[in-house]
Amino acid sequence: VTVKNLGGKTMVSFKGENNDEINLCDINRASEYQDLSGYTLFLGKDGNVNASDINVDIGRVTMTGGNLSAIYGYNGNNSNFIGEVTIEIKGGTVNNVVGFNKNEASKPINAEVIVSGNPTIGNKTSSGIWLNSFTSPCVTINDSISSASAEAVTLIAAGATQNGTHVAEATSSSNADAGKFKLLNSNTNQGSLNVGKNDKYIVVIGSVSLPAVAIWQSGDTFTLGENHILQGGTYFSVFVNGGYFTVPGTNLTDENGIPVNAQFDMAVPYSETGAVTYVEGSGLSTTGKYQYIQFKSTSGEISSKAADIYLAGIVFHGTNVTVSVNLQTVPLTEIDSAGVTYFNGSFYKIIKFDTLTGLNPVNDKSWNTAYNLAKASTFNGLHGYLMTITSHVENKFIYDRVYVKNGITGNDATGWIGATASENNNGYDSSTWTHKSYRNDWVWAAGPEAGQVFYTQRAYSNNGDYVSPGKYSSWNNRIDGTKRGTGATGSEPNNSGNEAYAQYVGKYYWNDLSMTKSGTAGQYVPGSFIVEYTAYPTNAVGHAEAATHTALSDSKTYSH
């Protein structure tokens, strides 16, 4: 069968016994040249198809132009099943290429799908080549497809597609162009996956890809289904904002219910008042309500399947909930040797000033010194930065899980953070900091939030709430303290003598200080700072950081 484009119309023909092309329109239609954009071509004859469908008993179709709604390898009638089918698409547009009838999903066929030239297959969101409808889900690229547009060929993945799965194979490595393919999960509402090139193969790149649409149950509860985590890792965490979730079990298991090499590390229970506590050890419960949970591998990696099964079993509650899932792939040996602590996609490391050498002067404990040292440090291929704190959970984590767990309390737990009311001569998120001028608000100096305003006034006054919409602060003042569920009575930031740099003050609060500090560490001389390491594609000032070991993550908001 040949599908052509002729004068803006589509012609479908096949070769007869004498190798003559016979126009199917002459057989099935009164007009020789029909626009077939609404028609489906079935390769496998059956008398029960709709009259508007083209139905032929043939084993090969070649499409060089024109438009078709769909090409089916066969239409479900086993008596007319063709054992070997080749579907070759060199040009034109077809919405769906399927190896079985939609009503015969349990009967995939042995077929070859070949792409080359300049085809358009699928629409990147709900149609394309249905890989799980073929016994071999590998598409062949037998010639260059360089003339095709980016993501011209949509592939719909076969079931639980995992990291490294081959979804297309080229006859030569020069033709293996991953940029021409768009890969979707098996359920087309479940979001897109990443593909890359491995020699002659187009392969799935391990990812965390949350669905665009949740599976809503009764009331305000929903789940996310399976096939969203496609690579294993060392840390697996789930965080929600705007609601809470319940967990399916206290450990991770494989598809047979057998526990895998992972241990529950920490959880944050949900609280209507905003109070933050931590659950560790054996405290995790299937009856508890949680805002955050993380598991850590005990050796090697947590399998992608185990993490995926657990995520599918989580029940989320709320009418407007943002779900964030992270899977870290940094080896355990690197994590342990670097002395870093993991939380919600980032790694944190305490640096005490009195452990440093080469400072000039020796007792220099200035904010800009901390900034420069943080940006010069590296972990997992990432440059560090003075930490940003963007939620109440993270704010308490800094003291309870980073400082205290490392044996640091009191004055040593007063450390610089990356907030400033200053401009930098080199711009935000630059490698070094030199003061340029003062601002009338507070911004984050570095990291993925670099340049973002989180507090709209330089100084707190008159019980005003100056937190930017959707942002977070924990200054030592009555308003921030009330939000945190505690009775803070301070008036910070107070801008006493151009105090334009922020410190973390012991338990949970922030204070503003001048940039230059020296001498013995104390309440107003920070004795440490915390470096944060996070991969970010492009931040507010256009910088980017890519990790050596990819941090797989996704975040989506679900409303009902």
Side-chain angles (χ1 to χ4, degrees):
V1 174
T2 304
V3 183
K4 301 179 180 178
N5 191 61
L6 198 61
K9 300 295 183 180
T10 302
M11 180 180 75
V12 181
S13 63
F14 70 89
K15 293 183 182 296
E17 290 183 1
N18 298 319
N19 213 32
D20 298 324
E21 284 198 343
I22 303 173
N23 188 356
L24 288 185
C25 297
D26 291 338
I27 300 173
N28 296 336
R29 302 287 176 265
S31 172
E32 182 177 1
Y33 301 124
Q34 290 279 343
D35 181 359
L36 302 175
S37 57
Y39 293 97
T40 296
L41 179 61
F42 289 96
L43 303 180
K45 194 170 184 179
D46 187 290
N48 297 319
V49 297
N50 296 329
S52 61
D53 294 326
I54 299 170
N55 179 26
V56 296
D57 189 1
I58 200 74
R60 185 182 184 95
V61 60
T62 301
M63 186 171 183
T64 61
N67 300 283
L68 281 175
S69 176
I71 299 173
Y72 279 88
Y74 80 109
N75 60 10
N77 187 328
N78 284 330
S79 63
N80 291 300
F81 169 67
I82 299 172
E84 298 291 338
V85 174
T86 299
I87 302 171
E88 184 173 12
I89 305 174
K90 298 180 177 180
T93 299
V94 58
N95 286 334
N96 284 295
V97 178
V98 188
F100 49 62
N101 185 282
K102 289 183 178 178
N103 297 323
E104 298 287 342
S106 62
K107 300 177 181 178
I109 66 168
N110 183 15
E112 182 180 23
V113 181
I114 300 173
V115 296
S116 62
N118 186 19
T120 299
I121 307 172
N123 64 0
K124 302 180 185 180
T125 60
S126 60
S127 63
I129 301 176
W130 293 73
L131 297 178
N132 59 331
S133 68
F134 301 97
T135 53
S136 176
C138 197
V139 174
T140 300
I141 313 163
N142 74 343
D143 203 349
S144 173
I145 54 174
S146 60
S147 58
S149 60
E151 298 184 334
V153 180
T154 302
L155 304 176
I156 299 175
T161 305
Q162 300 295 315
N163 181 52
T165 300
H166 297 171
V167 292
E169 179 180 355
T171 53
S172 69
S173 60
S174 61
N175 293 332
D177 188 345
K180 306 301 182 184
F181 292 88
K182 175 77 171 185
L183 180 63
L184 304 177
N185 274 332
S186 54
N187 181 332
T188 56
N189 288 326
Q190 302 297 303
S192 60
L193 311 175
N194 296 322
V195 291
K197 176 182 176 181
N198 181 8
D199 191 27
K200 297 188 298 182
Y201 295 98
I202 307 300
V203 300
V204 177
I205 297 176
S207 65
V208 171
S209 180
L210 297 183
V213 179
I215 305 170
W216 287 95
Q217 301 172 344
S218 60
D220 64 349
T221 64
F222 64 93
T223 57
L224 298 180
E226 295 186 7
N227 301 328
H228 309 310
I229 298 177
L230 304 181
Q231 184 171 326
T234 48
Y235 276 96
F236 165 55
S237 62
V238 180
F239 176 72
V240 298
N241 189 18
Y244 67 90
F245 59 85
T246 58
V247 298
T250 58
N251 52 36
L252 303 183
T253 65
D254 61 17
E255 53 267 41
N256 298 315
I258 300 173
V260 298
N261 59 324
Q263 65 183 18
F264 165 65
D265 190 44
M266 180 189 81
V268 177
Y270 170 76
S271 169
E272 292 184 358
T273 64
V276 175
T277 57
Y278 294 96
V279 171
E280 301 174 282
S282 59
L284 185 64
S285 168
T286 56
T287 60
K289 299 177 180 179
Y290 298 101
Q291 187 176 2
Y292 180 82
I293 187 172
Q294 76 182 35
F295 287 90
K296 178 182 179 181
S297 172
T298 55
S299 63
E301 285 189 343
I302 300 169
S303 73
S304 57
K305 190 63 178 176
D308 193 63
I309 290 172
Y310 197 86
L311 177 63
I314 290 177
V315 178
F316 298 92
H317 295 254
T319 57
N320 187 43
V321 182
T322 299
V323 179
S324 300
V325 175
N326 283 281
L327 194 79
Q328 285 292 335
T329 62
V330 185
L332 291 173
T333 52
E334 293 186 24
I335 295 172
D336 294 340
S337 64
V340 296
T341 304
Y342 172 78
F343 175 75
N344 196 33
S346 291
F347 288 94
Y348 302 80
K349 183 175 183 178
I350 297 173
I351 296 180
K352 296 178 66 174
F353 280 109
D354 61 11
T355 64
L356 300 173
T357 59
L359 295 183
N360 186 16
V362 174
N363 61 3
D364 178 10
K365 295 180 175 63
S366 298
W367 184 92
N368 60 320
T369 297
Y371 178 97
N372 297 344
L373 290 170
K375 290 297 290 183
S377 68
T378 59
F379 169 72
N380 187 32
L382 302 169
H383 288 94
Y385 55 91
L386 278 182
M387 64 179 173
T388 61
I389 302 175
T390 59
S391 73
H392 185 33
V393 175
E394 183 181 16
N395 190 58
K396 286 204 68 178
F397 167 84
I398 294 304
Y399 185 81
D400 294 342
R401 292 278 296 187
V402 180
Y403 274 126
V404 175
K405 285 289 184 179
N406 284 276
I408 299 175
T409 57
N411 289 338
D412 285 337
T414 61
W416 291 117
I417 64 176
T420 183
S422 171
E423 301 281 351
N424 182 16
N425 276 317
N426 303 309
Y428 295 111
D429 206 44
S430 63
S431 59
T432 58
W433 186 280
T434 56
H435 173 77
K436 177 181 178 182
S437 59
Y438 294 105
R439 300 176 59 101
N440 292 319
D441 52 22
W442 286 83
V443 301
W444 292 114
E449 294 82 20
Q452 292 183 11
V453 176
F454 68 87
Y455 203 73
T456 60
Q457 295 292 323
R458 179 75 180 277
Y460 166 87
S461 65
N462 300 321
N463 290 328
D465 186 356
Y466 305 122
V467 182
S468 299
K471 304 301 181 182
Y472 175 84
S473 70
S474 189
W475 297 107
N476 182 18
N477 64 53
R478 188 181 305 276
I479 297 299
D480 278 12
T482 300
K483 289 181 179 180
R484 304 293 85 81
T486 57
T489 58
S491 57
E492 305 296 344
N494 62 6
N495 190 29
S496 176
N498 279 327
E499 292 181 326
Y501 301 88
Q503 68 166 142
Y504 191 87
V505 188
K507 277 196 171 183
Y508 317 138
Y509 286 110
W510 309 350
N511 174 53
D512 61 339
L513 288 175
S514 56
M515 182 173 68
T516 302
K517 291 293 176 180
S518 61
T520 303
Q523 184 177 3
Y524 302 116
V525 179
S528 63
F529 55 96
I530 293 182
V531 185
E532 185 172 356
Y533 305 91
T534 303
Y536 47 95
T538 304
N539 64 17
V541 294
H543 296 177
E545 284 283 337
T548 302
H549 302 284
T550 307
L552 307 175
S553 64
D554 197 11
S555 179
K556 285 188 173 60
T557 300
Y558 301 98
S559 300
H560 184 61

